[in-house]
Amino acid sequence: MFILAKKSGKSVTVKWVGAAGIEQALRLKAELIAAFDLNNSVSLDLSGAEEIDLSALQIIIAADKEAGAQKKSFFLENSIPPAISEFALLCGVKLESFLKQEDKNA
């Protein structure tokens, strides 16, 4: 797993590439916390993620809740790989509900 970030003003996009699982959970969480500390809007791009586990889903849900608590925005950006979307659904999480509005309509 490696993480890429792209900043634009007070917004940042964090991209997870490779596996996002329990082994990377602390790093994934730390990256999103740092992104919220420095930005008003944080987006997460999962298009390069090859696999995730329940810990990664928990981090995504927690990021959404944290954004609301801080009155900031959080959303998923771009496409979600089908295998990841299917895994999330099996866990009871519809990742598409976190997509940026224009990405939902694509």
Side-chain angles (χ1 to χ4, degrees), residues 1-6 12-36 42-64 74-81 84-85 87-88 93 95 98:
M1 160 60 61
F2 65 95
I3 300 169
L4 303 171
K6 178 178 69 173
V12 68
T13 299
V14 176
K15 183 171 184 174
W16 290 354
V17 179
I22 191 69
E23 297 85 6
Q24 300 85 17
L26 286 176
R27 181 170 174 221
L28 299 172
K29 178 183 170 188
E31 288 290 330
L32 286 176
I33 288 171
F36 278 114
V42 176
S43 61
L44 178 61
D45 182 347
L46 296 176
S47 64
E50 295 170 4
E51 63 181 72
I52 64 172
D53 68 10
L54 194 53
S55 64
L57 292 177
Q58 290 171 323
I59 290 169
I60 293 168
I61 293 165
D64 184 60
F74 173 76
F75 52 88
L76 296 180
E77 183 171 284
N78 296 324
S79 64
I80 301 166
I84 290 176
S85 182
F87 171 76
V93 178
L95 288 177
F98 295 100

